[in-house]
Amino acid sequence: MGLAYSKIDGKSKEFYILLILFSIFTLIGFICFMVSYISGHHVLGSSSIIPWGMPITITIYLIGLSAGSLILSALTYVFGKEEYRPIARLAVYLAIILILGAMIGIALDLGRPEKTWRLFMFFVLNNMRSMFAVNGILYGGYFLIGMVYLVTIFAEKYKFITLMGKIAIFWAALVHMGTGAIFGFIATRPIFFSPIKPFEFLAAAMVSGLALLMITVVATFKFTKRNLNQELIFSLSRYLRVLIIVLAVMVLVDKLTHLYSPHRDPTLWLLTGPYSWIFWILQVGFAYILPVLILFHPRFGKTLKGVMVAAFLVVIGIFGERFSLVIPGTAYPLPFYPGKIEGIWGMAGSFPITPVESFMSLGIFTLMGLLFLVGLKNLELLPVTPPSPQRGEGKGEGGT
Amino acid sequence: MKNKVRSGSKEKEQNGFKLKMDRRKFLKWSAFTGAAVGASKIIGQLDTPAASPLQKNIQKTFEEKWIATSCLNCPARCATRVRVVNGKAVKITGNPLSQVSEGKICPRAHIGLQVLYDSERINTPLKRTSNKKGKGVDPKWIPISWDQALNEVTNRLRKLRENGEPHKLLLFNGLNTVSSEELIFRFADAFGTPNLISGDGLDSETEKSGNWMADGHYAHTAYDLDHTNYILAFGADMLESSKPLSRFLRKWGKFRREKPNRTKVVVINPRYSVTAAKADEWIPINPGTDGALAMAIAHVIISEELYDKTFVKGWTVGFDSYKNLVLSQYAPKEVSKITGIEPEAIQRIAREFAQTQPALALRGKESINWPEGSFTSYAIFCLNALVGSIDVPGGVIYQESPQYNEMPRWVEDETTKKGKAKPSLDFRGTDKFPAAKVVTNQIPESLLENAPYPIEMAIGFNTNFNMSSPGPDRWDQALTKLPYYVHLSPFISEMALYADLVLPSTTFLEEWGYDHSPPGSGFAEVKIKQPAVSPHGSARPIIDILFHIARGLKGGVAQSFANIGDHAEGFVKIRTEKLIPWKDFLRKGVWMEKDYEYRKYDRIFHTPSKKFEFSSGNLKVLLAKTKKGKGEGSDYLPHYREPKFLGDKEKFPFVLLPYQPLMTIENGSQNYPWAQEIFLPMDGVGWETLVEINSETAKKLRLKDGQVVWVESPFQKIRAKVKFSEGVHPGVVAIPSGQGHTSYGKWQKGIGVNPHDIIGVDYDTISGQAAFFNTRVKVYKA
Amino acid sequence: MVIDLDKCVGCQACSTACKNENNVPYGSPDDQRMRRDIFWNKVIAVTNGKYPRVNTELISMPCMHCDHAPCVTVCPAKATYRREDGIVVQDFRRCIGCKYCIVACPYGARSFNSKEQEEKEYHRPDLPPDRSVWGQWPFPTRTHGVVEKCTFCFHRIDQGIKEGKKIGTEVVPACVEDCPAEARIFGDLDDTHSKVSHLLSSRAWIRLREELDTKCKVYYLLR
């Protein structure tokens, strides 16, 4: 209570450089989108065997980050943990722009983006048995809830904030479990099909959202020269390592289940085939093993640098987790009939990386970065630097 | 009391208030629902078909007609119907009136649309301006008018006749309608040149010679597939490259599941073809040893007395000498060593063949296009006679020819007579190729050596011999040497690249003609060709071009071409009017003779003995005439001789087996994406040539599946991806033909390789058929 | 639909006739390498065994028009749905190109149209035979960005119903009509007099990927 927030000045050279850089890449991304819109998805390297590529992977990643971020803001507003109040606003704002980025990502990946409105015709023109359609409700509602939440936070109507916070946690959990359900309910793809997918996604959301939040907070506070209570980061890192373990256990259970017939062959292919490096190095290595090792290390895990390295690894690693789900999941050749299927119908899909797709994806990220910078400058998101302890006003009390 | 009243009114007020609230709520809710329903209705309206932007612009007049015509993507010439909308051909389907294939067409017929609308067709006659000729050399074509072009051709032809050298004209006949072919023959006869070379010598002349040795019919075999109960196919790719393919495709479905007895099919081939995959048994055999197997089967049938004694006694001669040869030299145990097939399998197959009546033994290119192929063909054909399957239901039948309206004999003047008397360039009928009607692949040597005399001018009608022959580089050299070459085809094929003048001819969907299938259903059937659409650019039908040139030549040639219609439509009408009224023919598209008559034994055998001959009298007579030496009795019997391979076994350990997949369009171009996309169904890929090797063999060579390899013969080498296969004999390398085009076409140029490039030149000694399968190769990493 | 693998000759006329009838775009060699080429009907070769005891089945696979179609369940925009008569329709106007159905289809029957067809000059520049048969008329070509699949030639079926023709004998999809071996039979599964009912009761049949319980309606009679 009593913590004051302010906008950043946003006049430094670094700020403008970042702003311009982000704008340029966003523009390039937009141009790439127009190219793909006019001449078709073939410029993105899309195919009928791996229909979902980079944009969808990024979308589900961003949804996870967003949901995680929003749930963590609830630590303050719902569970009343005061030590996280300095970053709570940032968390909410981050969640909003992440979900905006995700929705833009979905729109970009559609074959006919001008028909995006069809995703919002709930019950009238939408088939509500489709998890995609249900997710339409979830994401739209999530965005609105996030906006209302942020507004109530700015208005400092504490009763509503708590209420919105509770709704937000609940809805955010639903959102990312919904995203997991998109994959988990598809029996055709054995690597997807699993009832644990929604929970796995929720855990991944918490892990990645938390890690991204930690990185964003440290970076933003550093750039805007505000003091950050490092204990805040360390306590978050303790949450992080537990969540990673929870996630790793879920993934372990999922893969172990699939190693039994009838899903054994595709799972073995994932673990030992051409895409296994994504699973082992990015997902298991970067997201689970290395961060846990770092965060449990008695010395390194207690330094800010160590925590940041771990968080960075997690952010990359969870992206790798999404990637190792989407791409190998759809690349595995469908077994129409027992035996060796000859030629193109029996080949595993390959994922070509095209510049148009890469720049378009980069554009989504830079767009969000742009919105972040603009928000920092125009909204009161960051806490004012608390006075130094010599003034004797105690921790946690507001200052100018 | 007052309170009560007050409370009462308060209650009323409260009630009123509640009502108001309810009403307000009700109004709120109904307004909301109304809005929702209204919104969903509006959204629903937006979603209805009528609002689709795609359909707004397609409001034009709509004219549709079905044209009866026939296909020409292969020699089967199936009857089709083409749907034409607003002057554009949009769909090809079969003509149910045709009985050759019961109205069905093979996939290539559909690709006719892409042949018609190939965007890289030639629009005008083209004249070469570059002096250099060669593969990859730009001829620097300039467009000229038809008048110019035809004048040039006619003048040169006239000069040949004036110089008394009409024989120095060489004509190449490729895949053309029967009507075009008959006029090409007429032109050669009237002009006075014996040098009319068709592509038959690359096809399966050995089938014809094998038949001829037995029953005197130098023609392809027709089969009564409706009633047969057992098919023994020696190297016959029934479902990929038979003649006529559509008939085999339809009858397969029929004899498998549309009659009480399901026909058993056994395929004997070094390669597991589509036919083998769909058959009941695949028996891999050492390449080139089919003759031995046929004789061994005869051995079993004869030794176990399973043959049709009535037919053999009554309608054959030479059985005793045949029997002696078979029993003495072709025991299954011996033959098993030659063929690589177990003796028990040979015995079983022979017994099944003889005891499942009626049975058919088929031959295909892969078993008979070898140096001794005529005798292999003869040996296999004799199996049919052994079991009595000659001119019976379910057996070999004899294709009737349509009796077109006779043309008056062409006019033969002195020049013509002298020219026709000269020997032909391909040594047909000489002791080199005694029974041959055409030795296509001999031409390059003859041209290069000027033997028996030099050629001044050549005209090619839809040919592409420098891709479809073994040793195509010799063709390239020979074509370069030709002083003047005119080529007629709708596109610049590899052969057209060497032309001095290219005339764009029409495709089969743009011209008049009549056609009959080479072997068909036994009874005669004629199919019309009428233009479905108007010709592309300024393309002209071959028949019209011939009429024009003939008229220009005046004299005997012009007279030979007078009174036979003057143009394509007229010619077709005159020739077919006797068979069927013109209007009916246009409408129906097909004419058929009455049903087939079986067992015509008294008149069907055109042999010295007038019977089926196990010891060929026809061959004896012919060899006596041409060879001057005395042959032994056994030379006229079917027999097996170890094939002569081109290439030393140590250096070139494998035998090359080039095969023709179904999707090969036989008009000289493969520039058709629909065919290219699904070119190799057994390998699940298109757009390429694969080198198919037995997986164990490939592992021994330390190759990896999908690796690029060189396949080298003693003559040339080619490079392509290797494919590990479980369906190839360990000593064989199978490569599909049809790719490797280099002259034009964004859908074919530079794609794949042509296995014919590395095949050596060899011939069947009797029929002049080019041998395709006796070249040895080696395979190594590229 | 019933496909008799014993009569089938592996010629791929079904794929070709379908491409012709429905103006399905063809692809270039690159398109095939990148797996962007579009096939409404495909013929796959499945090999088992080792030389010389090898067996290759050539199996023609159209859209299976499943009664419990996974694609119908997952389409968010109701662009694909099961009609009364059992045909699973693909409404190209409604399709937003999210590709969820491609992920869900167990038979690889769906293709994503990822670029405009290069040459639109030939085949199907026209209207359907009867202009009152609008609906989801998929011609002359689909735009890029939508998902395409075999439609059991519902334009022919609807036209046939309108003209009172018998479905399965007088009106059939293009692949059925143009199969040279007559290995494909189309008809009403509910009609006990239809040829499909007759065949399914007299021969042993299988459906592909039975373990996924899609209740698909293309039955295969084995060799």
Side-chain angles (χ1 to χ4, degrees), chain B residues 47-49 52 54-55 58-60 62 83 85 88 90-94 104-105 107 110-111 113-114 117 119 239 249-250 252-253 256-258 262 272 274 277-279 282 284 662-663 673-674 677-678 681-682 685-687 694-696 726-730 746-747 751, chain C residues 4-13 15-17 19-21 24 26-29 32 37 39 45 49-52 54-56 58 93-94 118-119 121-129 131 134-135 137 139-141 156 174 176-182 203 222-223:
Chain B
D47 211 41
T48 53
S52 164
L54 272 179
Q55 286 151 346
I58 318 175
Q59 306 281 354
K60 33 184 198 216
F62 176 72
R83 179 163 173 252
V85 171
K88 258 193 135 161
V90 295
K91 173 116 176 107
I92 299 180
T93 188
K104 296 293 181 185
I105 50 177
H110 300 280
I111 294 167
L113 286 182
Q114 297 202 320
Y117 290 118
S119 59
L239 303 180
L249 298 181
R250 167 79 279 264
W252 183 282
R256 285 302 234 185
R257 289 285 178 176
E258 288 175 31
R262 180 174 171 276
Y272 187 66
V274 172
K278 289 291 178 182
W282 171 54
L662 190 155
M663 281 302 172
W674 281 345
E677 276 187 311
I678 48 177
M682 294 286 274
V685 290
W687 302 106
N694 184 294
S695 57
E696 289 304 317
E726 300 303 327
V728 181
H729 184 283
K746 71 174 185 219
W747 303 120
I751 290 178
Chain C
D4 189 342
L5 291 176
D6 202 20
K7 289 171 80 172
C8 168
V9 287
C11 68
Q12 301 186 96
S15 301
T16 315
K19 287 221 159 195
N20 184 186
E21 173 84 9
V24 180
Y26 49 80
S28 62
Q32 186 166 97
D37 49 0
F39 285 96
K50 282 192 76 67
Y51 178 86
V54 61
N55 181 57
T56 298
L58 286 164
R93 282 173 312 102
R94 286 188 185 170
E118 283 200 24
E119 285 162 53
E121 271 101 39
Y122 39 95
H123 38 282
R124 305 312 303 243
D126 62 313
L127 293 167
R131 283 172 216 211
W134 286 105
W137 184 246
F139 300 129
T141 185
R156 287 189 175 202
V176 175
E177 184 180 58
D178 286 318
C179 172
E182 290 188 11
R203 300 258 309 266
L222 298 176
R223 292 200 286 124

Side-chain angles (χ1 to χ4, degrees), chain B residues 224-538:
Chain B
D224 182 8
L225 296 167
D226 282 329
H227 305 108
T228 188
N229 279 326
Y230 196 92
I231 293 184
L232 187 56
F234 289 81
D237 290 338
M238 274 186 277
L239 303 180
E240 294 152 273
S241 60
S242 54
K243 263 203 275 283
L245 179 67
S246 57
R247 179 174 170 75
F248 278 93
L249 298 181
R250 167 79 279 264
K251 299 301 183 184
W252 183 282
K254 191 161 193 171
F255 62 59
R256 285 302 234 185
R257 289 285 178 176
E258 288 175 31
K259 62 180 183 55
N261 291 332
R262 180 174 171 276
T263 305
K264 175 162 177 173
V265 180
V266 175
V267 170
I268 298 162
N269 199 327
R271 158 186 98 85
Y272 187 66
S273 55
V274 172
T275 317
K278 289 291 178 182
D280 295 299
E281 267 190 69
W282 171 54
I283 300 181
I285 188 174
N286 292 338
T289 60
D290 301 74
L293 179 64
M295 300 297 277
I297 291 177
H299 177 110
V300 175
I301 295 178
I302 295 177
S303 63
E304 296 185 15
E305 308 233 339
L306 298 171
Y307 59 93
D308 183 337
K309 296 203 176 70
T310 322
F311 178 76
V312 166
K313 264 212 190 68
W315 296 105
T316 70
V317 296
F319 182 65
D320 290 321
S321 31
Y322 177 62
K323 171 173 156 184
N324 288 337
L325 178 65
V326 161
L327 290 179
S328 61
Q329 288 185 21
Y330 294 100
K333 266 213 184 65
E334 296 306 311
V335 170
S336 156
K337 292 188 205 120
I338 299 173
T339 58
I341 301 174
E342 284 129 34
E344 295 78 31
I346 298 179
Q347 282 163 339
R348 177 175 57 82
I349 296 294
R351 286 178 199 133
E352 280 178 16
F353 181 71
Q355 291 173 322
T356 316
Q357 304 272 345
L360 270 178
L362 265 56
R363 309 143 273 178
K365 297 182 195 177
E366 290 167 33
S367 56
I368 58 178
N369 284 1
W370 289 81
E372 296 279 326
S374 290
F375 291 104
T376 307
S377 170
Y378 189 16
I380 299 170
F381 191 56
C382 284
L383 293 177
N384 289 311
L386 268 186
V387 296
S389 290
I390 302 290
D391 214 19
V392 295
V396 170
I397 54 179
Y398 292 89
Q399 178 68 39
E400 308 268 325
S401 294
Q403 302 299 312
Y404 299 106
N405 200 8
E406 290 272 342
M407 288 188 275
R409 196 165 198 293
W410 61 90
V411 172
E412 253 188 42
D413 55 25
E414 278 309 309
T415 321
T416 313
K417 278 210 192 92
K418 273 212 202 98
K420 290 287 288 293
K422 295 271 196 292
S424 68
L425 232 60
D426 61 350
F427 298 101
R428 63 178 83 141
T430 63
D431 66 336
K432 208 166 168 199
F433 308 112
K437 302 282 190 275
V438 63
V439 187
T440 317
N441 210 18
Q442 171 62 35
I443 296 303
E445 270 76 41
S446 301
L447 285 175
L448 290 170
E449 293 163 18
N450 286 340
Y453 43 80
I455 290 291
E456 288 293 323
M457 177 172 170
I459 307 182
F461 297 88
N462 277 320
T463 49
N464 209 22
F465 295 141
N466 56 344
M467 264 201 85
S468 50
S469 309
D473 50 338
R474 305 143 50 242
W475 276 97
D476 289 340
Q477 287 168 27
L479 289 168
T480 309
K481 187 178 168 196
L482 271 178
Y484 189 73
Y485 177 49
V486 181
H487 188 93
L488 281 74
S489 70
F491 42 76
I492 307 283
S493 59
E494 280 68 27
M495 203 156 174
L497 206 59
Y498 289 83
D500 294 284
L501 188 62
V502 178
L503 302 177
S505 57
T506 46
T507 63
F508 58 88
L509 287 169
E510 301 158 311
E511 58 184 9
W512 289 97
Y514 55 81
D515 259 321
H516 54 257
S517 301
S521 44
F523 46 83
E525 182 177 312
V526 178
K527 297 157 249 228
I528 198 175
K529 272 190 167 57
Q530 47 178 322
V533 297
S534 45
H536 168 92
S538 65

Side-chain angles (χ1 to χ4, degrees), chain B residues 709-781:
Chain B
V709 294
W710 283 107
V711 180
E712 184 176 333
S713 74
F715 314 102
Q716 291 271 352
K717 59 181 182 180
I718 53 175
R719 182 167 48 170
K721 270 204 216 133
V722 76
K723 171 152 200 321
F724 284 24
S725 169
E726 300 303 327
V728 181
H729 184 283
V732 165
V733 171
I735 305 183
S737 63
Q739 305 286 3
H741 285 268
T742 52
S743 63
Y744 95 100
K746 71 174 185 219
W747 303 120
Q748 62 169 3
K749 188 168 177 179
I751 290 178
V753 287
N754 184 8
H756 299 156
D757 283 346
I758 63 176
I759 301 180
V761 177
D762 209 345
Y763 303 95
D764 167 59
T765 42
I766 304 290
S767 66
Q769 166 67 40
F772 276 81
F773 302 102
N774 62 335
T775 303
R776 301 197 81 103
V777 292
K778 62 178 171 180
V779 179
Y780 53 93
K781 287 185 238 211

Side-chain angles (χ1 to χ4, degrees), chain B residues 623-690:
Chain B
L623 286 184
K625 241 197 297 183
T626 56
K627 269 204 181 339
K628 293 188 198 127
K630 296 172 228 85
E632 290 165 24
S634 62
D635 281 351
Y636 314 122
L637 289 167
H639 58 262
Y640 164 76
R641 219 151 267 155
E642 190 182 327
K644 177 189 66 159
F645 285 100
L646 300 174
D648 169 50
K649 189 165 181 179
E650 266 76 58
K651 274 209 265 162
F652 300 99
F654 304 109
V655 180
L656 178 67
L657 199 160
Y659 68 92
Q660 184 179 316
L662 190 155
M663 281 302 172
T664 309
I665 309 293
E666 299 187 30
N667 65 349
S669 174
Q670 193 67 20
N671 195 31
Y672 314 119
W674 281 345
Q676 293 284 61
E677 276 187 311
I678 48 177
F679 190 61
L680 299 174
M682 294 286 274
D683 300 322
V685 290
W687 302 106
E688 58 179 347
T689 309
L690 292 175

